Amino acid sequence: STGGTATFNNMAMGVYLLTASETKGVRIYHPTTVQLLPVYDEGDQRWELGEAVVGDHSADAVMKSQEPAIGKDVNDKTVAVGDEVTYTLNVTVPEYPQNAAACKFVVGDKLSEGLEYVEGSIKIKDKSDAVLGKEFYTVDEDGGESETGRKYTFQITFTEAYVKAHGGETLTITYQAKITEDAVQNSD
């Protein structure tokens, strides 16, 4: 379904696993189960299809989801034109179910006017503070627009193998930006 809801009719009895695939947003969807089980009708003395049970209760199926959290900080808040500042992003690798079909994790940033990204400055450290090998991610420093329509200055795409193996772990991403003539200047 592309509208956020799906309706199933004339389903056979059984237990079904619902998963989201090819989502175009920044949410991570968790699979859920739907059970269509027989119920014995004492009055009619026969078995019939019972009410759908979604997860642990009878209701419409709602797939639980989460939005990855990202923290951003800058090392120096008082700067002049020509200075370089270091930005730090703290991100958590999303946790996907073991049998998930598409495990994506993409982090990007769009620098505001007055900041110029310093190419090649991205460094990624894992939870043990070790520098993450470049075989676990690719970096697009050409700027553009993501699959979700968000503009970015740079974008980091982690490999599916890395995402599957490190779900729930925190990464620290640092990069530098140079202050340009277009920066907003405040004088106190």
Side-chain angles (χ1 to χ4, degrees):
S1 166
T2 58
T5 61
T7 303
F8 302 95
N9 296 312
N10 302 317
M11 300 294 293
M13 290 184 210
V15 178
Y16 296 88
L17 178 66
L18 301 181
T19 60
S21 63
E22 297 188 30
T23 59
K24 295 263 184 193
V26 295
R27 300 195 71 76
I28 301 163
Y29 290 88
H30 304 280
T32 191
T33 59
V34 177
Q35 300 177 51
L36 299 175
L37 303 175
V39 175
Y40 190 71
D41 184 332
E42 292 287 340
D44 291 339
Q45 298 287 309
R46 66 184 182 97
W47 289 94
E48 56 188 44
L49 185 61
E51 186 175 328
V53 177
V54 180
D56 295 334
H57 56 282
S58 296
D60 290 337
V62 176
M63 294 188 76
K64 293 181 181 177
S65 65
Q66 69 187 47
E67 194 167 307
I70 297 178
K72 183 177 179 180
D73 196 19
V74 63
N75 71 327
D76 192 354
K77 293 180 175 54
T78 305
V79 294
V81 172
D83 289 351
E84 282 189 8
V85 294
T86 299
Y87 283 93
T88 302
L89 302 176
N90 292 303
V91 299
T92 302
V93 179
E95 293 183 73
Y96 286 94
Q98 205 166 4
N99 61 349
C103 301
K104 284 187 95 171
F105 184 44
V106 179
V107 176
D109 199 0
K110 171 75 175 138
L111 297 182
S112 59
E113 190 173 344
L115 293 172
E116 181 181 296
Y117 170 70
V118 177
E119 284 195 34
S121 66
I122 291 175
K123 303 282 184 276
I124 304 173
K125 292 187 177 182
D126 65 17
K127 66 180 182 179
S128 67
D129 209 31
V131 175
L132 191 63
K134 291 186 179 185
E135 67 272 18
F136 298 116
Y137 63 92
T138 58
V139 178
D140 174 0
E141 296 179 315
D142 295 331
E145 193 171 299
S146 71
E147 290 178 6
T148 60
R150 296 177 189 221
K151 294 185 186 287
Y152 63 85
T153 303
F154 68 84
Q155 182 171 270
I156 305 164
T157 303
F158 292 87
T159 65
E160 186 169 338
Y162 184 84
V163 174
K164 284 183 175 181
H166 298 278
E169 294 181 12
T170 300
L171 297 174
T172 302
I173 301 169
T174 58
Y175 63 91
Q176 282 73 46
K178 185 176 183 176
I179 310 300
T180 70
E181 296 282 337
D182 297 325
V184 176
Q185 297 183 19
N186 291 331
S187 55
D188 292 331

